[in-house]
Amino acid sequence: MSTWNEIKIVLQEEDLEFIQGVLYTMDVRGVSIEDPSDILGREQGPLTWDFADINIFEYGKDKAVVRAYFNIDVDVAEIVREIEEKIQEAKSFGVQFHEYEIFSEEVNEDDWANEWKKYYKPTKIGERFVVKPLWEEYEPKGDEIILHMDPGMAFGTGTHETTRMCLEAVEDYMKKDTTVFDIGTGSGILAIGASKLGASKVVGVDLDIVAVDSAKENVGYNSLENVEILHGNLMDVVDGTADIIVANIIAEIILVLIPDVKKKLHADGVFISSGIIREKEEMVRNGLRENGFMVKEVRYEGEWVCIIAEVAHA
């Protein structure tokens, strides 16, 4: 049985996105996230507490736990030092990061390989979507659309506010024969959702080859033939134009993408962007305005913002 180094980071929920970004720049072999708000924030019903593991509240309802797994031969002290240096560097640039604790221990593979799965359960999103992990049973009700997902190490399980808002926005703005570009596709969840809503063509793109592999697998689990997953520098690798372009990344990357999005978006298309914290909303709004976009709608959930925009016409 293999043994691994587990780095456990106990932190505030709003700092999860940043720490995940730090970990995925390192040689991490797996990541699990235990976030009490995933349970407390759900509509309370039969899919909530029946599936909850009470250990998720080990550090209280306001603290999340990230477990990152590294090869047994790495220098754990060096990994911890690198994580702490990146946090301090971010703080020096004005990033808000709250108090945190870091622990480390050696664990057996069987202990971690399935540990995170107990926190990832069928989740209803929007009017029709149910995100269902492969290992769970769920019988669809009415016209529910089931997204069969195994996120692995890629972003996008459907539990994060930004993923939910983007899925709901795609649902609301989808029309017949729609082409969708999903920029920064992660696990492929938004691309898969768009396809199952009836999009005629979907292209998902990610810079991270781990995410690309994960997205391709998830597309296969859903038996979709009109979804293409590409590895490359985001907008650079998509051909043609789209009716909907969705980017659930971070505000700074969205700003870089906006000029290319304008070139690739149909005249009457919409650009759905999220991964934006409230403090960066005005920055993204200004970037859209400066590039000839008009904001149609802004949605909020927790500390996160989703902006739906269209090209302004004279």
Side-chain angles (χ1 to χ4, degrees):
M1 183 185 294
S2 299
T3 305
W4 301 82
N5 280 309
E6 178 191 81
I7 306 291
K8 180 170 71 174
I9 308 166
V10 181
L11 72 175
Q12 297 284 353
E13 188 272 342
E14 54 263 45
D15 297 328
L16 276 174
E17 201 88 351
F18 174 83
I19 211 69
Q20 287 179 81
V22 168
L23 290 170
Y24 284 116
T25 66
M26 306 170 76
D27 190 23
V28 67
R29 312 310 298 170
V31 174
S32 74
I33 297 168
E34 301 158 19
D35 183 2
S37 69
D38 286 345
I39 293 174
L40 296 173
R42 292 180 191 171
E43 181 179 342
Q44 301 300 303
L47 293 185
T48 307
W49 294 102
D50 287 354
F51 289 124
D53 188 307
I54 200 66
N55 289 333
I56 201 169
F57 298 104
E58 179 183 358
Y59 294 94
K61 66 181 179 61
D62 298 321
K63 289 291 181 73
V65 178
V66 177
R67 300 178 193 269
Y69 299 93
F70 295 84
N71 288 331
I72 193 63
D73 56 354
V74 301
D75 184 337
V76 172
E78 180 60 32
I79 291 172
V80 172
R81 185 159 50 248
E82 184 177 346
I83 292 170
E84 292 183 328
E85 284 176 356
K86 290 185 177 181
I87 290 172
Q88 293 308 314
E89 182 182 7
K91 283 184 173 181
S92 72
F93 287 110
V95 174
Q96 296 293 318
F97 201 93
H98 304 84
E99 288 186 9
Y100 64 94
E101 294 178 279
I102 301 181
F103 306 93
S104 65
E105 66 174 323
E106 293 184 4
V107 296
N108 292 322
E109 183 166 356
D110 285 351
D111 295 337
W112 72 264
N114 296 304
E115 177 71 15
W116 59 278
K117 291 185 178 181
K118 63 188 178 187
Y119 301 107
Y120 181 30
K121 303 297 177 179
T123 305
K124 183 74 179 283
I125 297 176
E127 293 297 318
R128 300 175 62 194
F129 287 121
V130 174
V131 181
K132 187 191 81 64
L134 296 181
W135 53 89
E136 291 288 343
E137 295 295 326
Y138 182 79
E139 201 63 40
K141 302 173 183 65
D143 64 349
E144 286 180 342
I145 297 171
I146 306 300
L147 308 183
H148 304 276
M149 300 295 297
D150 183 354
M153 285 175 55
F155 293 106
T157 63
T159 59
H160 196 275
E161 293 94 328
T162 59
T163 308
R164 288 200 297 265
M165 286 192 290
C166 285
L167 267 176
E168 290 165 359
V170 169
E171 184 177 11
D172 291 342
Y173 284 91
M174 180 66 68
K175 298 175 183 175
K176 190 178 180 182
D177 296 327
T178 296
T179 298
V180 179
F181 293 164
D182 177 19
I183 308 302
T185 194
S187 66
I189 187 169
L190 299 179
I192 291 164
S195 174
K196 291 204 168 189
L197 280 170
S200 56
K201 178 185 177 184
V202 183
V203 180
V205 184
D206 209 288
L207 278 164
D208 184 352
I209 191 62
V210 173
V212 169
D213 291 343
S214 174
K216 286 180 177 179
E217 287 181 357
N218 283 321
V219 168
Y221 297 143
N222 288 274
S223 302
L224 302 174
E225 296 183 356
N226 67 336
V227 179
E228 184 180 15
I229 303 295
L230 302 176
H231 178 231
N233 189 19
L234 304 176
M235 294 298 296
D236 292 354
V237 295
V238 292
D239 293 323
T241 56
D243 305 284
I244 296 175
I245 297 178
V246 56
N248 183 23
I249 313 181
I250 59 171
E252 288 80 1
I253 303 295
I254 290 167
L255 284 180
V256 174
L257 291 177
I258 289 172
D260 288 331
V261 168
K262 187 178 180 183
K263 295 173 190 172
K264 299 283 188 178
L265 192 64
H266 284 174
D268 58 349
V270 293
F271 176 37
I272 300 167
S273 60
S274 194
I276 306 163
I277 58 174
R278 286 181 184 252
E279 290 83 355
K280 303 287 179 68
E281 176 188 347
E282 198 56 38
M283 180 178 80
V284 176
R285 279 178 175 264
N286 289 338
L288 289 164
R289 193 180 307 115
E290 290 165 5
N291 284 276
F293 279 87
M294 178 181 71
V295 174
K296 287 174 66 74
E297 183 186 354
V298 181
R299 301 181 181 187
Y300 303 92
E301 189 169 339
E303 295 299 312
W304 300 94
V305 182
C306 178
I307 299 176
I308 297 108
E310 63 183 359
V311 177
H313 300 293

